[in-house]
Amino acid sequence: MSKLLQKVYSPVDFKNTGHQLIDELTNHISQVFDENLSKVINWKEPHESLTFWKDFLSNGDSASLFEEVLQRSTHLHHPKYIGHQVGPAAPITLLTAMISAILNNGTAVYEMGMVTNPMERIITELLCVKIGYSDSSSGFLTSGGTLANLTALLSARKAKVSADVWNEGHSKPLGIMVSEDAHYCIERAAKIMGLGEQGIIKIPVKADFSMDVSLLETHYQNAIQNGIEVFAIVGSAPATATGILDDLDAIGSFAQKHSLWYHVDAAHGGASLYSSKYRHTLKGISKSDSVVIDGHKMMMMPGITTALVYKDGRTSNATFSQKADYLLEDSQESDWYNSGKRTFECTKNMMALHWFVLLKTYGEAVFDDYVTMLYDLGRSFGETLKKDERFELAVAPMTNIVCFRYMDRALDTATLNHINRQIRQKLLEDGEFYIVQTKLRNKQFLRVTIMNPFTTEKHLVKLLEKIKIISENIDVLKP
Ligand SMILES: *Cc1c(COP(=O)(O)O)cnc(C)c1O
């Protein structure tokens, strides 16, 4: 073996670097918990970052690599991180991430997943019970909500479409129904599946941004009249931009009436199955055929890990099988332990470790505590905003996602859009808080997702004060 390779695999080097890194990461976590000492984000323009890393590769000091990575990344453990839906991973899952990387057991076949295949089965069966599915339900873990949604829609096509598209390709236009506000990955999945623009039957939303279920029947009939075979309908729980949940119960009844596959994209809100207070927001989810839940959103896990569960486990065995009729396949008992048969991935991370370690160490209650606390805070922040005439809510929040904008009734929409874009840009450059933005009905909104259990009402009030100060210094000269 070359000297270099000996160095690469040196256990002593691993130990030394590892111990040092754990110390640095511990410091990082404790530092970001003290919001007065650090910024959430040290904003750099893309070209600055590129120049820095190009230079670092040639001239940087290796000893400072990890420190630079920490310094130059966005700090999700910081209580003023209230931006995207990925949350601060529970520290114990940072360790399971390391075990996964070291063991590299790719999980697809049993011999390469003797630990994780059984764990996946246990975890997904627990989720099936929470949803209200039956004994014949099952699922697996996969790499992200985007891939999980695509996989579910492929299962739906296999189970519902009259033609054998898997083997013979398309012979007839196919369609799915989904809210116009659904996550863009649903549309992307439909396009990958070759459904085309006409195959994505978009249902408008109501004033409260939930799917207008009163329009389902007419949109369905129109599609049928246009020769489209509609095979699935997707409910959002919640929609990403607004945090508003669709009426899962009503969509479920509609799906049953027309024998459509009912998929619930609960990437964000699925974790509320564990919340005794907010479980009701998912009413009707048991009517679904498949559900997606992200572990890296509302379940404190590092990215990416997603549960995809099926009411009828056999339909998941059939997704990528050559046989047209899944009912001819053996029962799910046959080889549940080779999870690669049912997943898009061949190799994947040992992601089941994160789910298992959280359940084993802290019990289910930890998910209840987390979701309930964050939804509570989202809703109370909504109340705070409602009382302040300088702000306007897009909609009363149902979850921990809150969309609002700086408001001045004397100004028109274009000016307000300009001001709110400026506010978000200045917040980004300032780095004390990290929030995002979204456009709803042509109005520019600021968007906050409260993901960190260390975030409090006080932080949010401070954010509003800061926004008011920023707004005073924005140039609003009309063009
Ligand atoms: C985040 C999100 C997704 C995408 O999931 P990834 O894990 O980021 O791929 C899909 N749907 C909804 C509703 C989401 O909130």
Side-chain angles (χ1 to χ4, degrees):
M1 197 194 293
S2 75
K3 278 252 158 59
L4 184 57
L5 284 174
Q6 276 177 23
K7 189 165 167 51
V8 168
Y9 288 97
S10 156
V12 176
D13 281 6
F14 172 70
K15 185 177 168 184
N16 291 340
T17 319
H19 276 278
Q20 195 191 326
L21 180 60
I22 291 281
D23 287 343
E24 276 178 46
L25 291 175
T26 307
N27 274 343
H28 172 76
I29 290 180
S30 353
Q31 242 181 51
V32 295
F33 281 168
D34 185 347
E35 71 253 38
N36 299 319
L37 290 183
S38 63
K39 290 183 173 190
V40 189
I41 182 168
N42 296 295
W43 172 248
K44 302 267 186 297
E45 293 292 339
H47 67 88
E48 284 179 75
S49 292
L50 182 62
T51 308
F52 175 83
W53 288 111
K54 260 190 186 157
D55 179 63
F56 193 93
L57 191 57
S58 319
N59 309 315
D61 173 10
S62 300
S64 69
L65 171 58
F66 292 150
E67 198 188 314
E68 291 291 352
V69 170
L70 291 177
Q71 176 68 12
R72 290 166 182 274
S73 297
T74 306
H75 300 153
L76 277 62
H77 287 86
H78 195 297
K80 290 174 182 168
Y81 167 88
I82 36 178
H84 289 290
Q85 293 158 281
V86 186
I92 201 167
T93 63
L94 311 179
L95 303 177
T96 44
M98 189 168 72
I99 300 175
S100 168
I102 290 171
L103 293 176
N104 237 358
N105 276 213
T107 300
V109 294
Y110 179 64
E111 299 97 275
M112 290 295 281
M114 293 194 294
V115 171
T116 41
N117 279 304
M119 281 184 177
E120 281 196 18
R121 178 168 169 167
I122 294 163
I123 291 154
T124 49
E125 282 180 357
L126 287 172
L127 287 173
C128 288
V129 172
K130 284 278 163 207
I131 289 168
Y133 279 173
S134 69
D135 284 349
S136 54
S137 308
S138 70
F140 50 81
L141 301 179
T142 190
S143 302
T146 299
L147 197 61
N149 280 323
L150 172 61
T151 309
L153 289 172
L154 287 168
S155 308
R157 186 175 68 182
K158 197 75 168 251
K160 292 290 184 185
V161 170
S162 47
D164 178 8
V165 180
W166 188 255
N167 288 303
E168 290 160 19
H170 284 280
S171 50
K172 191 180 167 200
L174 300 174
I176 61 165
M177 302 174 77
V178 63
S179 152
E180 62 175 337
D181 276 3
H183 192 273
Y184 72 87
C185 74
I186 301 291
E187 177 158 351
R188 188 175 282 183
K191 292 267 169 83
I192 290 169
M193 291 167 71
L195 303 191
E197 198 66 35
Q198 61 160 10
I200 306 157
I201 299 145
K202 284 194 183 156
I203 311 301
V205 294
K206 297 190 293 189
D208 70 0
F209 295 97
S210 70
M211 182 196 273
D212 188 347
V213 290
S214 72
L215 300 175
L216 285 173
E217 192 64 38
T218 34
H219 278 73
Y220 178 77
Q221 294 303 339
N222 279 346
I224 298 291
Q225 256 153 41
N226 291 331
I228 298 170
E229 183 179 348
V230 180
F231 65 94
I233 184 163
V234 180
S236 302
T240 305
T242 57
I244 294 300
L245 286 100
D246 287 335
D247 181 344
L248 300 183
D249 203 38
I251 302 172
S253 302
F254 178 80
Q256 274 167 1
K257 179 175 165 203
H258 294 289
S259 188
L260 302 176
W261 182 281
Y262 180 24
H263 176 63
V264 175
D265 180 1
H268 184 90
S272 65
L273 286 168
Y274 289 96
S275 165
S276 32
K277 185 166 174 189
Y278 291 111
R279 225 201 107 81
H280 71 91
T281 57
L282 297 169
K283 183 170 178 285
I285 196 172
S286 61
K287 291 181 175 172
S288 66
D289 295 291
S290 53
V291 176
V292 156
I293 304 173
D294 273 351
H296 51 283
K297 291 220 176 119
M298 293 296 288
M299 299 183 80
M300 292 171 281
M301 294 174 214
I304 50 179
T305 175
T306 299
L308 171 54
V309 294
Y310 294 79
K311 176 175 272 170
D312 180 348
R314 291 171 305 180
T315 53
S316 90
N317 297 339
T319 315
F320 302 110
S321 121
Q322 287 307 110
K323 294 189 191 147
D325 186 352
Y326 66 87
L327 296 173
L328 298 174
E329 292 263 299
D330 295 334
S331 84
Q332 56 169 329
E333 284 302 318
S334 60
D335 68 347
W336 56 267
Y337 39 80
N338 293 316
S339 76
K341 276 198 166 177
R342 287 170 293 150
T343 58
F344 212 105
E345 305 101 316
C346 176
T347 306
K348 73 181 186 203
N349 287 332
M350 299 174 75
M351 48 182 75
L353 297 174
H354 310 316
W355 300 73
F356 203 87
V357 81
L358 286 176
L359 282 170
K360 177 63 193 159
T361 314
Y362 307 109
E364 274 185 22
V366 74
F367 299 128
D368 189 353
D369 287 3
Y370 182 78
V371 175
T372 305
M373 172 175 187
L374 297 176
Y375 276 28
D376 277 349
L377 192 51
R379 288 174 178 221
S380 66
F381 186 39
E383 291 302 318
T384 306
L385 286 160
K386 219 183 274 175
K387 285 182 216 133
D388 191 330
E389 61 169 19
R390 276 283 146 251
F391 296 101
E392 181 187 64
L393 275 172
V395 55
M398 283 179 90
T399 61
N400 53 330
I401 299 173
V402 187
C403 297
F404 64 98
R405 59 178 186 155
Y406 176 80
M407 190 60 193
D408 181 341
R409 301 209 177 270
L411 302 172
D412 63 12
T413 303
T415 311
L416 285 170
N417 284 355
H418 169 75
I419 293 175
N420 280 284
R421 262 193 305 271
Q422 286 295 309
I423 289 171
R424 140 77 191 174
Q425 183 61 29
K426 291 199 188 309
L427 284 170
L428 184 64
E429 289 164 13
D430 173 84
E432 183 188 350
F433 289 91
Y434 179 67
I435 73 166
V436 295
Q437 61 188 340
T438 187
K439 207 158 191 180
L440 301 168
R441 299 185 179 132
N442 289 321
K443 292 175 183 166
Q444 193 70 39
F445 283 93
L446 304 168
R447 179 172 171 274
V448 157
T449 310
I450 304 159
M451 296 300 292
N452 192 325
F454 288 87
T455 306
T456 63
E457 185 78 34
K458 254 196 196 147
H459 294 116
L460 300 171
V461 167
K462 216 166 160 206
L463 168 69
L464 298 184
E465 285 165 9
K466 182 151 192 146
I467 291 175
K468 285 180 187 167
I469 293 168
I470 291 174
S471 69
E472 281 162 18
N473 298 312
I474 291 176
D475 193 4
V476 288
L477 286 182
K478 306 254 171 74

